[in-house]
Amino acid sequence: MQCYTELTPPTAVTHSLSLPFVSATSNNLIVAKTSLLQIFSTKIISIEVEGPAGKDAAKREIAYDPTINDEDGLADSFLGDDSAMRVDRTKQTKLILVAEYTLSGTITSLVRIKTLSSKSGGEALLVGFRDAKLSLVEWDPQRPGISTISIHYYEQDDLQGNPWAPSLKDCVNYLSADPGSRCAALKFGARNLAILPFRQDEEDANMDDWDEEMDGPPPGDKTVFKTTNGDSKKEETPYGSSFVLRLPALDPNLTHPIHLAFLYEYREPTFGIICSATSPASSLLNERKDNLTYMVFTLDLHQRASTTILSVSGLPYDLFEVVPLPAPVGGALLVGYNELIHIDQSGKANGVGVNMFAKQSTSFALVDQSDLQMRLEGCKVGQLSIQNGEMIIILQTGELAILSFHVDGRSVSGLSVRRVSGEAGGSLIPGCVSSISSLGQNSFFIGSERADSIVLGWTRKSNQLSRRKSRLDLANEDDVLDEDEDEEDIDDDADDDLYGDGPSVTQASNGASQPDPSNTKAGDYIFSMHDSLVNIGPITDITLGSSNVYADEMEKSNFEGVTSELELAAAVGRDKAGAVAIVHRNIVPKVIGKFEFPEARGIWTMSAKRPTEKGLEASKEKSATSGDYGADAQYDRLMIVSKALPDGNEISDVYALTSANFEALTGTEFEPAAGPTIEAGTLGNGMRVIQVLKSEVRSYDGDLGLAQILPMYDDDTGAEPKIVSASFADPYLLLFRDDSSIFVAQCDDNNELEEIEREDDALLATKWLTGCLYDDTTGAFAPVQSDKGYKAKESVMMFLLSAGGALHIYALPDLSKAVYVAEGLCFVPPVLSADYAARRSAARETLAEILVADLGDEISTSPYLILRPSNDDLTIYEPFRMNSSSTSNTLSSTLHFLKIHNSHLAQNPDVAAEEIADEAQATMNEPMRAVASLGGYSAVFLPGGSPNFILKSSKSTPKIINLQGVGVRGMSSFHTEGCDRGFIYADVNGIARVAQLPPDTNFAELGVSLRKMTLHEDVHAIAYHPPMQCYVLGTSRPAEFELPKDIDYHREWAQEDIVFKPTMEKGFLKLINPTNWTVIQTIELDPSEVVMCVKTLNLEVSETTNERRQLVTVGTAITKGEDLATRGRIYVFDIVNVIPEPDRPETNKKLKEIAREDIPRGAVTAVSEIGTQGFMLVAQGQKCMVRGLKEDNSLLPVAFMDMNCYVTTMKELPGTGLCVFGDIIKGIWFAGYTEEPYKMILFGKSSKNMEIVVADLLPDGKELHIVAADSNCNLHVLQYDPEHPKSLHGQILLHRTTFALGGHLPTTMTLLPRTKAPSLLPPSPDAMDIAADATIPEHEILITSTTGSISLLSPLSESQYRRLSTLASHLTNTLYHACGLNPRAYRVDRDAPDGMVGSRTVVDGSMLMRWGELGSQRKSEVAGRVGVDVEEVRDDLVALMGGLGYL
């Protein structure tokens, strides 16, 4: 059986919503990525941009653009040239991830609900799922995370009505909520509406117009009674009982509901719905023109009844969405393919047609703006300006347009649309968007399934002279001006709204009625990009290429040993966002220098300051050089290296750093023979270099003049304990000694080290294993949380781990009492608090080291507690504060630690042989190292046998990513002119490297190394050509389509004269050289010819010599509309060396066409190698043919087989002739090919028709499985077993199991060899049998999906399957599942017949990956139930994750 594991999370954003969620005042963004729910907060940062004042329009509120008009130019010309080079400040909205949850469901809707009370004070979130489930969740600050209030099911069969009603998954299910949060409506099934009421204070419903004289006293006393009688109120749920309405029962017109939404400004919950009594269709426009009706219903939640209050009929057939509009405009905007129509509360309609088809498709009165030539299919409309109600329209192509309303008092008299020009940011969005959410003032989030999702900001050009200030004033009052101007805008617009048409609205509407092509007049918007979320969905095709491609020999020698064998290259994105994504599982460092350094053990670099002149006081020096100009901003100058010489002696050396190199430094008072360095760093604000040796601490000045020696000598006992580890945090130094005692020293104003007295008896009596110092600049561990800052000396916290496994925190310099003690740290519980207690018999984790460090990037960093056990499987805790109910608000009652989900297991725990001898010493020699600035990240590095970085960006949780290469002994940051924010490390092979994190690479958001090269066009297929080491891509661009003029039997096509033409894809072949990822050749295909598949095949090119060559085979489809048959074409290309273009050495390769074959009927949808003689298998239309390349470059067919409807996928098990075909309607066929004689034979078929999207063969030992995915996102595992009686001698493929993937539709399957992960367990008695089995090559299937997730299907042995399926079952029962969803039900397709599900299901790897969330006590309990120990479970999980060692 198999296990399905997600390697990377989905990245395509399907839904988004902004609301105050985490608290009443927060500004949160909820992002849904199919089955991943992410909660972000927003942070506005100010960025300085130096340069000419008028270069970039997006930098200023008043943009200087010489083309606006002369008046603007005059105002700016008085200031001279100096002012043009001032520093511009621009505000940007950035996203910061608060939490993320993988859900067992496919999200279809997000709405906000304001409940009467919530744990956080914020609003609640109602999440709708594809199978008609609703989850109401809120934020729980007590254990920071989402808490499920309730879950509502509407998927029961009796709700679906008649037996022939379509199934749930075939209908569009969506959710809409009343703006007053009185109820939410779920439209599910074909015509069902479920109403879920929410309790609100009845008194606050529109009390504005209450008149005491007429209506009597306001009913305020009831509320007082309610709150005093608190018990009964607590019992109440925030929601009432829900009910289901059948839409046709409300009105006969609702037979075909199209879209509904709740409207603003109504006393009762009221929704508008577009519907029709007959089904709308473009093909029936002559009979059914304008058959849609817009109706408004108001709901009575108590009576469960509704009333029609408005009906507008005769609307165009192509309307597809209702967009409710708040005041001042009000009413609803109806969006169609060719027009926009506004209907106000009285039923008055105004519309605008945006292309020439609006007139032809409707008789409805529309203002004609057909010169805009806009297509509104798939567009999104969002609120831009609350003041004048302007809306933003994002078209399917990503272009922006502004919709303005002409408002006369309170009624709308007209609409107008204008495009946003490219200079004003109109082309920032590369393609179709899926959601749009306002993030407060002047920015909104735009989610996309096809491109990166972005935060778009906007500014407006000022248009009133009275508000104009001189440029110098602007420069001085930068921040103030922004706020003032915004306030004035709001006031003015409020007045305009009150007194009718004000100047700013007139300006917008007048400007809009004559569309201005330049869009640079005053009062218009300028858009700019503030932030983005990376997306690699949809993944269209993948290939594996060699990652050892270098520009020159120098680069090759530098990267030797730190590159993986292969890289995963994927064709991702759609439209203008089409790109090639390069994925590595590990970090491949960009090596700047490489040196033989076999004796290096520990490395420390530092930016020590040179001694200053005596005239400058020490304290002044400290304050003057702190902050941006202090030690942080300086380049590293010195490097201390601890060495182990071949003769067994250990010494330390000091080096001076050059730009990307280092050289020995002599003539200083540094003494190499003093012994090995344990730790080194700077104190005294960079004035003192501290070297910690085994028996003493040495302090040097910036020129390495010896300033002080601090010996380890106990006056009372006369003992001389040896130092084993140390930690620095200016101005303190913490030492751990081999007698388990600690020593704390402080650097005084004269930069002298002196010991701090250990007043606490417990501090002396306890045995301490390890610990660290942390400079708490943010106040995360402050005794009392407040907004004020802390003095530097008071913010250093000391974290200690006792031999008993307890965590003690001291606030330096006070060593009299620990401010926080957590005894349960060694049990690694999910939430660690001071009062956590485990059972006495509970299993403990053996912790070797703890570290508290900042993780994050330049936008946000926060502290984390990192635990390193003996097997290097790190545990990461995030501290959080909780206001306790008790009166004492001490640190021990408010500070808790939440365990972060982390599925990373150390892949290679075996270390070099010489280091195993002294294990304790090895750990101490390789402590975890916090790096404050590593290529923009605040990171932590873990050396040892499985070296890795812990990285976190503002938009991700902390991720642990391995460093490519062998084990690492010592590592340090390396910040010089030639290696900015880099690092230096020495590996166990004796090689030291100066390196940086690779540029333009994303690590933290996916947990893998990801680099994207955008091509700005659709990428359909990708293949790698190994002999020439380059990639071939099939791409397409939209091109205008004209009907063929030369068709005899359609003479009327020649007369076609149309301005607004439809578009078709036009194909291209591109050759890419991976040395610098540039396109070096583009081949244009015929009009309407699109690339369907590109593969590199090993073909026989000569029948006489039987020579084989790797050739690129391309299959295409030529489609010219639905009236002409589709034709196909096969191309065979070789890649040859040519003379490169001048100054472009990478253009030395070219595609050379060898063969071309036209297929008269049907497209070429798939190609593959077949057999052992170098032939190719081609799926062409309804046939599949085996073809051979002849000497005359023709493709000769030698065997064929008739296929069904349309072959979507075709794979051969390499070299065997066994192949599988997937059909879009008929399911799976399994066939074989023989070479003597040439013949294709059908072996077996799937027993049921399935809509197969992609399939592959998976050999598992002596069994042959076929894995297929259908269009309902189900994974089917079939088996060819002719000896089984049910298979009818193999004619029917046995259906072993079906596994639901949720909303992740697979796009490719690739059979890959599986590598063995190193085991920590001792060899078992039957090791000989295992070794014999190990000679059979193992395989697994890599699956990619439209949502951007990459996953793995791995075969399991019988014993592994039993262990892991039992483990997954126990974890399902044990762990918390977000939104109250059921993981078991999620993995079973509701509509699949019982026979297809099977009893032995695929193991859900996403459950197994949550194994690390358990504490050590629960781990041993669950492992005991499975029947193994914790180490065996860990070993199984490592084997599962470690199969792709070559990536």
Side-chain angles (χ1 to χ4, degrees):
M1 295 316 294
Q2 296 80 21
C3 175
Y4 175 86
T5 318
E6 237 177 50
L7 298 180
T8 64
T11 57
V13 173
T14 53
H15 302 85
S16 65
L17 175 73
S18 55
L19 78 165
F21 187 62
V22 174
S23 68
T25 55
S26 62
N27 182 18
N28 294 116
L29 173 74
I30 312 290
V31 170
K33 299 176 176 177
T34 309
S35 61
L36 183 72
L37 190 73
Q38 293 184 313
I39 301 157
F40 291 93
S41 62
T42 56
K43 178 181 182 181
I44 296 176
I45 61 170
S46 187
I47 292 178
E48 292 190 356
V49 191
E50 286 192 23
K55 281 281 167 152
D56 185 356
K59 291 176 194 167
R60 283 232 51 74
E61 297 259 326
I62 303 173
Y64 166 53
D65 185 343
T67 60
I68 298 176
N69 53 31
D70 211 59
E71 181 187 48
D72 269 1
L74 272 173
D76 288 313
S77 61
F78 295 123
L79 295 172
D81 291 321
D82 297 340
S83 65
M85 287 304 292
R86 66 162 205 288
V87 174
D88 270 347
R89 295 182 78 81
T90 174
K91 287 199 169 69
Q92 291 202 339
T93 305
K94 299 287 186 185
L95 298 177
I96 297 170
L97 184 70
V98 178
E100 65 178 15
Y101 300 92
T102 302
L103 306 181
S104 300
T106 304
I107 299 171
T108 55
S109 309
L110 298 172
V111 295
R112 55 190 281 186
I113 300 291
K114 188 166 177 58
T115 52
L116 279 175
S117 64
S118 69
K119 293 178 181 174
S120 64
E123 297 187 9
L125 172 70
L126 188 63
V127 188
F129 296 96
R130 191 170 68 178
D131 44 3
K133 288 189 185 77
L134 301 180
S135 275
L136 184 65
V137 295
E138 64 179 346
W139 184 259
D140 181 4
Q142 299 294 316
R143 172 182 181 162
I146 60 174
S147 160
T148 309
I149 301 174
S150 61
I151 183 161
H152 308 265
Y153 293 83
Y154 299 99
E155 55 184 355
Q156 300 91 337
D157 290 330
D158 57 328
L159 287 176
Q160 303 308 311
N162 50 33
W164 57 86
S167 71
L168 268 180
K169 67 171 184 300
D170 295 332
C171 302
V172 181
N173 304 332
Y174 56 88
L175 192 56
S176 181
D178 171 44
S181 295
R182 291 162 293 196
C183 73
L186 171 72
K187 185 261 166 189
F188 69 98
R191 298 176 186 87
N192 294 327
L193 193 68
I195 308 291
L196 178 63
F198 293 98
R199 302 190 199 284
Q200 301 293 345
D201 277 339
E202 292 168 21
E203 291 74 33
D204 68 356
N206 294 334
M207 291 292 293
D208 308 333
D209 54 352
W210 189 274
D211 189 339
E212 288 199 29
E213 290 181 11
M214 292 174 68
D215 301 334
D221 50 342
K222 289 186 196 167
T223 34
V224 178
F225 171 72
K226 263 191 189 171
T227 44
T228 48
N229 188 3
D231 297 341
S232 63
K233 196 164 183 193
K234 273 184 190 169
E235 303 284 321
E236 279 191 357
T237 56
Y239 54 90
S241 62
S242 66
F243 53 96
V244 175
L245 299 172
R246 304 251 180 252
L247 285 173
L250 303 183
D251 191 284
N253 272 334
L254 294 178
T255 319
H256 295 276
I258 290 165
H259 190 251
L260 68 88
F262 279 91
L263 305 178
Y264 290 89
E265 301 184 282
Y266 282 94
R267 267 176 176 242
E268 295 293 327
T270 303
F271 65 86
I273 182 167
I274 309 174
C275 55
S276 166
T278 54
S279 177
S282 56
S283 55
L284 297 173
L285 270 180
N286 293 333
E287 283 85 31
R288 297 184 189 173
K289 204 171 184 180
D290 298 337
N291 62 335
L292 293 195
T293 307
Y294 171 71
M295 305 181 82
V296 177
F297 291 90
T298 184
L299 291 173
D300 184 335
L301 298 176
H302 297 293
Q303 302 295 325
R304 299 191 174 187
S306 67
T307 312
T308 311
I309 58 173
L310 182 66
S311 178
V312 180
S313 57
L315 294 173
Y317 83 101
D318 56 1
L319 296 175
F320 63 90
E321 189 178 8
V322 181
V323 179
L325 302 179
V329 177
L333 179 72
L334 311 184
V335 186
Y337 295 157
N338 309 307
E339 66 282 311
L340 296 161
I341 297 174
H342 176 265
I343 297 182
D344 66 11
Q345 294 182 343
S346 62
K348 178 185 166 193
N350 289 286
V352 56
V354 295
N355 60 42
M356 59 176 283
F357 294 113
K359 279 184 193 165
Q360 299 176 20
S361 62
T362 179
S363 310
F364 196 83
L366 298 171
V367 175
D368 183 23
Q369 276 194 279
S370 55
D371 52 342
L372 288 170
Q373 296 200 353
M374 286 164 58
R375 295 177 169 90
L376 295 179
E377 292 97 330
C379 75
K380 286 288 174 199
V381 181
Q383 185 84 41
L384 193 59
S385 166
I386 294 290
Q387 289 86 34
N388 55 20
E390 285 189 324
M391 313 286 286
I392 182 170
I393 304 171
I394 305 175
L395 302 180
Q396 198 165 15
T397 55
E399 296 163 285
L400 302 182
I402 308 287
L403 169 66
S404 304
F405 297 93
H406 305 241
V407 183
D408 293 331
R410 286 286 292 167
S411 73
V412 174
S413 60
L415 285 76
S416 62
V417 180
R418 62 186 188 272
R419 283 183 183 267
V420 178
S421 69
E423 300 88 61
S427 54
L428 281 173
I429 301 168
C432 180
V433 302
S434 59
S435 69
I436 178 166
S437 301
S438 171
L439 293 179
Q441 205 170 20
N442 292 26
S443 67
F444 38 85
F445 174 79
I446 293 168
S448 174
E449 296 184 66
R450 300 178 166 198
D452 289 357
S453 300
I454 63 175
V455 175
L456 201 65
W458 55 269
T459 52
R460 287 193 79 157
K461 294 205 187 83
S462 176
N463 57 330
Q464 291 175 351
L465 288 172
S466 61
R467 239 183 260 171
R468 193 176 269 295
K469 299 189 179 187
S470 79
R471 281 282 160 148
L472 287 171
D473 286 352
L474 286 179
N476 296 336
E477 302 177 10
D478 224 10
D479 294 327
V480 185
L481 174 84
D482 292 354
E483 292 163 20
D484 288 356
E485 233 182 332
D486 291 339
E487 282 173 25
E488 285 185 46
D489 270 336
I490 293 165
D491 293 346
D492 282 10
D493 284 332
D495 294 346
D496 301 339
D497 185 36
L498 197 60
Y499 298 114
D501 243 336
S504 68
V505 181
T506 323
Q507 182 75 32
S509 49
N510 288 351
S513 53
Q514 301 103 24
D516 181 0
S518 66
N519 191 22
T520 48
K521 63 185 184 304
D524 250 336
Y525 299 91
I526 295 165
F527 296 94
S528 59
M529 199 163 101
H530 287 190
D531 204 356
S532 66
L533 293 179
V534 73
N535 173 25
I536 57 168
I539 302 175
T540 317
D541 193 15
I542 63 162
T543 186
L544 292 169
S546 167
S547 52
N548 302 312
V549 181
Y550 308 108
D552 50 42
E553 285 301 315
M554 173 77 181
E555 193 178 303
K556 184 176 181 181
S557 71
N558 274 352
F559 279 88
E560 193 181 354
V562 292
T563 52
S564 57
E565 296 168 60
L566 298 174
E567 62 194 8
L568 182 69
V572 302
R574 295 297 301 274
D575 309 327
K576 289 184 208 151
V580 177
I582 305 300
V583 179
H584 291 272
R585 293 206 65 184
N586 300 338
I587 293 176
V588 177
K590 179 189 174 189
V591 179
I592 291 170
K594 176 180 167 184
F595 320 96
E596 291 284 337
F597 210 165
E599 62 272 17
R601 291 295 178 270
I603 302 175
W604 297 268
T605 56
M606 57 208 73
S607 56
K609 294 182 189 139
R610 302 190 181 280
T612 50
E613 297 176 20
K614 290 182 181 166
L616 208 61
E617 292 173 22
S619 59
K620 239 187 202 173
E621 160 70 19
K622 280 191 177 181
S623 59
T625 57
S626 60
D628 293 344
Y629 307 100
D632 300 343
Q634 288 188 352
Y635 287 137
D636 293 336
R637 281 180 46 232
L638 301 172
M639 179 170 80
I640 293 176
V641 179
S642 176
K643 298 180 174 181
L645 299 179
D647 58 7
N649 289 334
E650 293 185 297
I651 62 165
S652 300
D653 265 339
V654 66
Y655 295 84
L657 300 185
T658 58
S659 70
N661 209 324
F662 48 87
E663 50 202 35
L665 191 62
T666 54
T668 65
E669 296 181 15
F670 187 88
E671 191 183 336
T677 304
I678 302 294
E679 190 74 41
T682 59
L683 289 180
N685 209 20
M687 298 298 291
R688 286 285 181 267
V689 175
I690 308 295
Q691 180 195 15
V692 179
L693 300 161
K694 277 189 176 175
S695 54
E696 63 194 20
V697 178
R698 296 190 173 203
S699 173
Y700 303 89
D701 62 23
D703 283 332
L704 291 183
L706 188 60
Q708 184 186 1
I709 293 181
L710 193 66
M712 289 296 109
Y713 180 74
D714 197 325
D715 294 333
D716 303 336
T717 61
E720 290 188 20
K722 295 275 189 288
I723 301 171
V724 290
S725 67
S727 178
F728 291 86
D730 209 1
Y732 300 102
L733 169 65
L734 166 65
L735 305 175
F736 290 87
R737 305 185 289 195
D738 58 2
D739 61 353
S740 300
S741 64
I742 62 164
F743 178 95
V744 188
Q746 179 176 358
C747 196
D748 60 19
D749 286 345
N750 298 323
N751 291 329
E752 294 289 322
L753 282 175
E754 53 188 41
E755 183 181 357
I756 301 178
E757 196 58 45
R758 291 168 288 175
E759 301 166 28
D760 189 1
D761 291 340
L763 204 55
L764 293 166
T766 311
K767 288 190 180 300
W768 302 109
L769 286 180
T770 176
C772 69
L773 297 179
Y774 172 69
D775 190 359
D776 183 21
T777 51
T778 57
F781 302 104
V784 180
Q785 290 223 294
S786 73
D787 299 334
K788 295 173 184 168
Y790 300 92
K791 294 175 192 164
K793 284 193 178 178
E794 291 179 7
S795 65
V796 176
M797 312 297 284
M798 178 168 74
F799 294 79
L800 300 174
L801 176 67
S802 72
L807 172 70
H808 293 244
I809 305 178
Y810 287 83
L812 295 182
D814 178 16
L815 293 183
S816 59
K817 186 172 186 298
V819 292
Y820 184 87
V821 179
E823 296 287 349
L825 185 69
C826 57
F827 300 110
V828 287
V831 176
L832 175 69
S833 59
D835 50 6
Y836 174 81
R839 288 209 303 271
R840 194 167 277 182
S841 60
R844 294 165 180 258
E845 190 84 70
T846 313
L847 298 178
E849 191 181 353
I850 64 169
L851 177 70
V852 177
D854 283 330
L855 294 176
D857 55 14
E858 289 146 350
I859 294 160
S860 89
T861 59
S862 47
Y864 288 86
L865 168 65
I866 301 162
L867 311 182
R868 178 186 186 178
S870 50
N871 60 6
D872 281 359
D873 294 340
L874 298 178
T875 301
I876 304 172
Y877 278 103
E878 181 179 19
F880 68 94
R881 301 297 282 269
M882 194 169 80
N883 293 331
S884 63
S885 48
S886 63
T887 48
S888 65
N889 222 5
T890 58
L891 193 68
S892 55
S893 61
T894 61
L895 177 65
H896 295 66
F897 293 90
L898 179 72
K899 192 194 283 192
I900 300 292
H901 170 68
N902 161 38
S903 59
H904 184 276
L905 300 170
Q907 293 289 333
N908 187 15
D910 50 336
V911 289
E914 67 262 27
E915 293 184 12
I916 292 176
D918 190 357
E919 208 170 292
Q921 191 58 39
T923 316
M924 290 309 179
N925 263 352
E926 299 167 354
M928 290 188 287
R929 193 163 294 281
V931 185
S933 181
L934 180 73
Y937 290 99
S938 295
V940 169
F941 180 74
L942 170 77
S946 179
N948 48 51
F949 283 100
I950 308 174
L951 298 174
K952 178 191 180 300
S953 77
S954 56
K955 302 182 283 283
S956 78
T957 54
K959 298 283 197 313
I960 302 175
I961 311 176
N962 284 15
L963 178 68
Q964 186 72 42
V966 293
V968 172
R969 287 177 177 147
M971 178 269 182
S972 179
S973 59
F974 195 93
H975 177 45
T976 61
E977 197 177 353
C979 179
D980 189 60
R981 311 278 179 213
F983 59 100
I984 180 171
Y985 69 100
D987 65 22
V988 293
N989 291 344
I991 293 172
R993 292 180 178 86
V994 175
Q996 289 172 306
L997 290 181
D1000 309 321
T1001 306
N1002 188 303
F1003 302 103
E1005 288 183 44
L1006 294 183
V1008 294
S1009 171
L1010 167 72
R1011 188 166 165 225
K1012 271 175 83 171
M1013 273 64 65
T1014 308
L1015 294 169
H1016 302 295
E1017 52 191 77
D1018 244 330
V1019 187
H1020 298 286
I1022 182 169
Y1024 181 70
H1025 190 259
M1028 284 299 192
Q1029 295 190 319
C1030 45
Y1031 289 94
V1032 182
L1033 274 68
T1035 68
S1036 73
R1037 287 182 215 143
E1040 288 193 340
F1041 175 71
E1042 290 187 357
L1043 287 170
K1045 304 278 192 280
D1046 52 355
I1047 305 291
D1048 291 340
Y1049 51 89
H1050 276 298
R1051 296 280 172 82
E1052 74 277 7
W1053 287 0
Q1055 276 89 48
E1056 185 196 36
D1057 180 26
I1058 178 172
V1059 184
F1060 191 49
K1061 293 186 175 128
T1063 57
M1064 288 278 282
E1065 292 175 312
K1066 178 179 172 63
F1068 297 87
L1069 274 177
K1070 291 182 185 289
L1071 186 63
I1072 287 189
N1073 193 331
T1075 49
N1076 56 359
W1077 292 102
T1078 52
V1079 177
I1080 57 176
Q1081 186 190 2
T1082 300
I1083 295 177
E1084 189 173 330
L1085 302 179
D1086 288 355
S1088 306
E1089 184 175 12
V1090 183
V1091 176
M1092 301 295 288
C1093 53
V1094 178
K1095 289 279 184 287
T1096 303
L1097 307 180
N1098 190 9
L1099 299 180
E1100 185 181 89
V1101 291
S1102 167
E1103 294 172 83
T1104 49
T1105 61
N1106 291 356
E1107 181 198 344
R1108 297 278 190 95
R1109 213 182 305 157
Q1110 298 262 20
L1111 299 175
V1112 177
T1113 310
V1114 180
T1116 67
I1118 303 166
T1119 317
K1120 295 190 175 177
E1122 58 193 8
D1123 295 293
L1124 297 178
T1126 299
R1127 294 181 293 119
R1129 199 172 279 162
I1130 309 167
Y1131 297 90
V1132 179
F1133 291 96
D1134 196 1
I1135 299 180
V1136 294
N1137 282 313
V1138 293
I1139 298 167
E1141 295 172 22
D1143 301 327
R1144 287 193 67 196
E1146 71 272 11
T1147 58
N1148 60 346
K1149 303 177 177 75
K1150 205 168 184 183
L1151 284 166
K1152 175 188 170 190
E1153 186 179 310
I1154 289 182
R1156 165 196 298 221
E1157 183 85 20
D1158 283 313
I1159 310 293
R1161 295 175 63 184
V1164 177
T1165 54
V1167 293
S1168 166
E1169 285 180 28
I1170 187 90
T1172 58
Q1173 296 178 345
F1175 288 175
M1176 70 165 89
L1177 182 62
V1178 182
Q1180 49 183 75
Q1182 288 174 303
K1183 278 191 172 49
C1184 94
M1185 286 200 179
V1186 179
R1187 291 175 177 267
L1189 190 61
K1190 289 179 67 181
E1191 304 276 2
D1192 61 354
N1193 291 343
S1194 63
L1195 292 168
L1196 179 72
V1198 296
F1200 78 97
M1201 189 163 79
D1202 284 323
M1203 303 308 293
N1204 280 304
C1205 304
Y1206 180 91
V1207 177
T1208 52
T1209 183
M1210 177 176 76
K1211 296 283 175 69
E1212 188 220 17
L1213 196 60
T1216 61
L1218 298 172
C1219 39
V1220 61
F1221 302 92
D1223 190 90
I1224 195 63
I1225 293 173
K1226 297 288 188 180
I1228 288 287
W1229 280 21
F1230 177 55
Y1233 161 72
T1234 63
E1235 291 167 345
E1236 296 290 338
Y1238 296 130
K1239 194 176 175 187
M1240 293 283 294
I1241 305 163
L1242 178 65
F1243 289 149
K1245 303 178 181 181
S1246 55
S1247 56
K1248 292 189 171 58
N1249 288 349
M1250 296 182 282
E1251 297 176 15
I1252 298 300
V1253 181
V1254 63
D1256 209 335
L1257 294 149
L1258 178 63
D1260 180 11
K1262 294 175 183 175
E1263 295 180 346
L1264 181 62
H1265 292 105
I1266 296 166
V1267 180
D1270 67 17
S1271 57
N1272 291 330
C1273 304
N1274 293 323
L1275 210 59
H1276 302 281
V1277 180
L1278 302 102
Q1279 186 181 350
Y1280 177 66
D1281 183 4
E1283 294 174 4
H1284 194 285
K1286 283 190 178 174
S1287 74
L1288 307 179
H1289 303 292
Q1291 291 178 39
I1292 290 178
L1293 299 173
L1294 301 173
H1295 205 122
R1296 289 301 184 196
T1297 186
T1298 296
F1299 182 77
L1301 301 177
H1304 307 288
L1305 178 68
T1307 52
T1308 70
M1309 285 188 187
T1310 312
L1311 185 68
L1312 295 176
R1314 185 174 180 177
T1315 54
K1316 288 273 196 297
S1319 170
L1320 280 181
L1321 297 178
S1324 58
D1326 50 354
M1328 291 297 287
D1329 300 342
I1330 294 170
D1333 287 346
T1335 56
I1336 302 172
E1338 289 191 13
H1339 295 85
E1340 49 196 358
I1341 290 182
L1342 191 73
I1343 303 171
T1344 62
S1345 74
T1346 51
T1347 57
S1349 76
I1350 303 173
S1351 42
L1352 206 55
L1353 189 73
S1354 318
L1356 301 174
S1357 66
E1358 183 63 30
S1359 56
Q1360 274 181 322
Y1361 175 75
R1362 285 184 178 172
R1363 283 198 298 271
L1364 293 179
S1365 60
T1366 313
L1367 176 64
S1369 168
H1370 281 304
L1371 289 174
T1372 305
N1373 297 340
T1374 304
L1375 293 169
Y1376 164 76
H1377 303 296
C1379 294
L1381 297 169
N1382 181 353
R1384 285 195 186 95
Y1386 175 56
R1387 294 304 185 188
V1388 175
D1389 179 22
R1390 286 184 73 247
D1391 298 321
D1394 294 339
M1396 285 173 70
V1397 176
S1399 55
R1400 294 169 69 84
T1401 55
V1402 174
V1403 179
D1404 187 357
S1406 56
M1407 270 294 118
L1408 302 177
M1409 291 306 114
R1410 294 181 64 186
W1411 163 252
E1413 291 180 25
L1414 301 176
S1416 60
Q1417 176 182 343
R1418 297 288 292 150
K1419 271 185 182 174
S1420 58
E1421 285 176 14
V1422 171
R1425 287 186 201 148
V1426 175
V1428 293
D1429 56 13
V1430 175
E1431 282 73 25
E1432 273 187 82
V1433 171
R1434 182 195 177 280
D1435 220 48
D1436 279 341
L1437 295 181
V1438 169
L1440 209 56
M1441 296 297 286
L1444 299 174
Y1446 40 82
L1447 278 185

